[in-house]
Amino acid sequence: MKHVPMKHVIIGAGPAGVVAAETLRKLDPDSTITLIGDEPEPPYSRMAIPYLLVENIDESGTYLRKDSQHYQAKNIQILHERVTRVEPGTRNLTLQNGSTLAYDRLLICTGSTPIRPPIPGMDLEGVHNCWTLEDARRIAQSAKPGAKVILIGAGFIGCIILEALAGRGVDLTVVEMGDRMVPRMMDETAGGLIKRWCEGKGIKVHTATKVDQVASAQTASTGSGTGGGLKKLFSALTGSAKPAASEQQGGHRFKVTLSNGQVLDADLVISAAGVKPNTQLLEGSGVDIDNGILVNHYLQTNIPEIYAAGDVARGRDFSTGEFEVHAIQPTATEHGRIAAQNMAGVETRYDGSFNMNVLDTLGLISSSFGLWMGTEGGDSAQLLDAENYRYLNLQFQDDILVGATSLGLTQHVGVLRGLIQGKVRLGSWKEKLMEDPSRIMDAYLAMNYTAQHAA
């Protein structure tokens, strides 16, 4: 049977999209591959932006592929445009410029968008997300040594931005509404230790605290609305007008009010309060969406010709079997590869994304794996040396390790992941680990030895 070249279209030029395009080209050399991104730059990694902010790399260092001819050499067309509509019935996309593009197989890798919390003043100039290269350029203009910066959010992304800002020598305050830092990745003990570590590095951290308002410092000092305007007019007419203190002294740009009653000065406010999947272009398309695009074990949506991958895809979780979005780059690249294989006709089952986070916060390495928060009826064991910032927490279901949290113990990262993903039955080693979690490496080696000799 004669092979008919396909039109593969990928919306989203992040890691998932790029890996998918390259995988498709390898498996389907004769087909048309179009990779659509709505930013003017070549495909880049958002995770590299902190390195750009501390000037370890230039902008080209964020690019996912360093060779400027890489995509051309692989005959992958890059299209800088925004998709506004997907029409599965005709297999056409509508672009923002009004043109249309036909597809045979479509992969949606549109990623996610930062959530702007509903706080008065978040739309002021000088309040930024840290998500795109354009965001990074704007932040770099204001985040000078000594500048007062308020970072809203101390989650995974927030802590990565935190390190970059600290590296620029700013006077940094972090505001996190959760009761600890990195609340969706770390338990109370680990999150508390990370907070203490950051405070020891000169960063001010407010947990269990919200930002209630961001206001212009000039507005805050002179009043707002009609009253402020009349006050200015009266002062001008009586000759008593004086510049505000902030103007006289070249003062700060914002007054930021916290829920604990404090009012902080700021030159720059950065929001890292979470993200949401980019699914707007699918409105009215018939693709099933529930806090992300629902996909099966083949990264396929309810419409057979349409697939989804990366931060926008809500697929099976390895540990629970439930539908989850795991917005981390390793999952995105794995999604991209497997979706492309299935699009090319190489049936590949995906057993689910593995919840794994590894974070470097000013030199303190923390990690969490699987069901780090534990399971109902499960057992746990922990090892804590708070003075030296060392912590290990193991979570068991029967004699299987199902989750773990680690702080300051980098040698255990691969071991923890291997035991959890392997769903290894520990047998008598479970009790040994309950007594002494530090023997996790011994358990791993013993299990490997047993498995090799059993084979």
Side-chain angles (χ1 to χ4, degrees):
M1 185 175 178
K2 186 178 179 181
H3 173 70
V4 179
M6 302 284 285
K7 293 179 182 176
H8 294 295
V9 176
I10 301 166
I11 308 174
V18 167
V19 168
E22 293 168 344
T23 303
L24 281 168
R25 178 53 70 221
K26 187 182 298 183
L27 296 174
D28 198 350
D30 301 324
S31 290
T32 300
I33 300 172
T34 304
L35 181 63
I36 306 175
D38 64 0
E39 295 182 55
E41 297 85 8
Y44 68 91
S45 170
R46 301 196 193 285
M47 300 305 293
I49 287 176
Y51 301 100
L52 174 65
L53 284 174
V54 293
E55 300 179 350
N56 286 342
I57 58 175
D58 60 15
E59 286 197 10
S60 66
T62 68
Y63 298 164
L64 288 166
R65 301 295 178 259
K66 309 309 179 191
D67 182 356
S68 62
Q69 301 301 310
H70 175 80
Y71 303 101
Q72 184 178 348
K74 291 187 176 296
N75 196 21
I76 297 170
Q77 181 187 5
I78 302 290
L79 189 60
H80 298 284
E81 188 56 73
R82 180 180 290 270
V83 177
T84 58
R85 184 174 175 81
V86 176
E87 300 178 15
T90 59
R91 296 190 189 178
N92 273 291
L93 307 177
T94 301
L95 307 181
Q96 195 168 44
N97 64 12
S99 65
T100 59
L101 181 66
Y103 66 87
D104 294 310
R105 296 286 183 273
L106 176 65
L107 176 60
I108 302 171
C109 307
T110 47
S112 49
T113 298
I115 296 170
R116 278 286 180 117
I119 299 168
M122 292 299 287
D123 57 346
L124 290 173
E125 185 178 346
V127 179
H128 300 292
N129 298 311
C130 185
W131 196 244
T132 66
L133 283 177
E134 182 58 30
D135 290 335
R137 295 178 193 121
R138 291 172 179 168
I139 288 169
Q141 291 175 358
S142 300
K144 305 297 185 184
K148 286 186 175 294
V149 179
I150 293 180
L151 175 62
I152 304 173
F156 183 79
I157 298 297
C159 282
I160 292 173
I161 298 168
L162 176 157
E163 181 160 38
L165 292 170
R168 293 183 67 88
V170 305
D171 180 353
L172 181 59
T173 299
V174 180
V175 183
E176 166 57 47
M177 65 184 295
D179 64 354
R180 59 191 184 275
M181 293 186 72
V182 213
R184 295 186 180 181
M185 170 182 161
M186 293 280 124
D187 62 21
E188 291 181 9
T189 301
L193 286 171
I194 294 172
K195 176 182 178 179
R196 199 180 87 195
W197 174 271
C198 290
E199 290 174 333
K201 301 290 184 180
I203 296 171
K204 294 171 281 294
V205 182
H206 298 266
T207 51
T209 306
K210 297 179 182 179
V211 172
D212 282 345
Q213 177 178 284
V214 179
S216 163
Q218 185 175 354
T219 300
S221 63
T222 61
S224 59
T226 304
L230 289 174
K231 184 176 179 181
K232 287 182 185 178
L233 179 60
F234 177 77
S235 297
L237 291 173
T238 58
S240 60
K242 292 183 179 180
S246 59
E247 296 175 50
Q248 288 178 320
Q249 301 168 12
H252 305 292
R253 193 171 188 177
F254 302 109
K255 294 286 185 181
V256 179
T257 305
L258 306 186
S259 60
N260 61 14
Q262 293 190 46
V263 179
L264 307 178
D265 291 321
D267 302 301
L268 172 66
V269 177
I270 300 174
S271 176
V275 297
K276 60 181 180 181
N278 281 324
T279 59
Q280 309 92 296
L281 78 166
L282 293 173
E283 289 181 7
S285 68
V287 174
D288 285 344
I289 297 171
D290 182 7
N291 295 318
I293 302 171
L294 292 171
V295 294
N296 62 19
H297 282 293
Y298 303 93
L299 283 305
Q300 190 176 38
T301 71
N302 60 305
I303 296 176
E305 302 82 26
I306 301 180
Y307 296 74
D311 295 9
V312 75
R314 190 166 184 229
R316 297 290 183 180
D317 179 282
F318 171 84
S319 298
T320 66
E322 301 295 326
F323 286 97
E324 298 287 350
V325 172
H326 284 165
I328 55 176
Q329 189 161 312
T331 294
T333 55
E334 191 172 24
H335 273 188
R337 176 180 60 81
I338 291 175
Q341 289 173 335
N342 287 302
M343 291 168 71
V346 180
E347 188 173 291
T348 309
R349 180 182 171 86
Y350 184 56
D351 288 329
S353 53
F354 181 62
N355 186 18
M356 178 183 78
N357 294 285
V358 179
L359 181 65
D360 182 347
T361 310
L362 303 174
L364 180 62
I365 308 297
S366 58
S367 58
S368 62
F369 305 88
L371 301 174
W372 58 267
M373 69 298 292
T375 61
E376 187 175 350
D379 298 312
S380 66
Q382 75 171 32
L383 180 71
L384 175 62
D385 178 1
E387 185 177 347
N388 293 302
Y389 295 94
R390 292 178 179 271
Y391 176 62
L392 181 62
N393 181 289
L394 305 178
Q395 296 289 336
F396 301 93
Q397 186 70 50
D398 298 324
D399 65 342
I400 298 174
L401 184 68
V402 294
T405 304
S406 173
L407 192 77
L409 299 167
T410 55
Q411 69 271 27
H412 295 314
V413 169
V415 170
L416 294 170
R417 178 177 183 175
L419 287 174
I420 297 168
Q421 277 197 292
K423 297 183 178 180
V424 177
R425 287 207 166 273
L426 294 165
S428 62
W429 270 100
K430 178 197 172 181
E431 295 308 318
K432 296 174 185 176
L433 291 173
M434 290 288 290
E435 294 176 7
D436 185 1
S438 70
R439 298 192 65 189
I440 191 72
M441 180 67 78
D442 295 336
Y444 180 78
L445 294 174
M447 292 299 101
N448 277 348
Y449 180 85
T450 301
Q452 289 170 5
H453 283 73

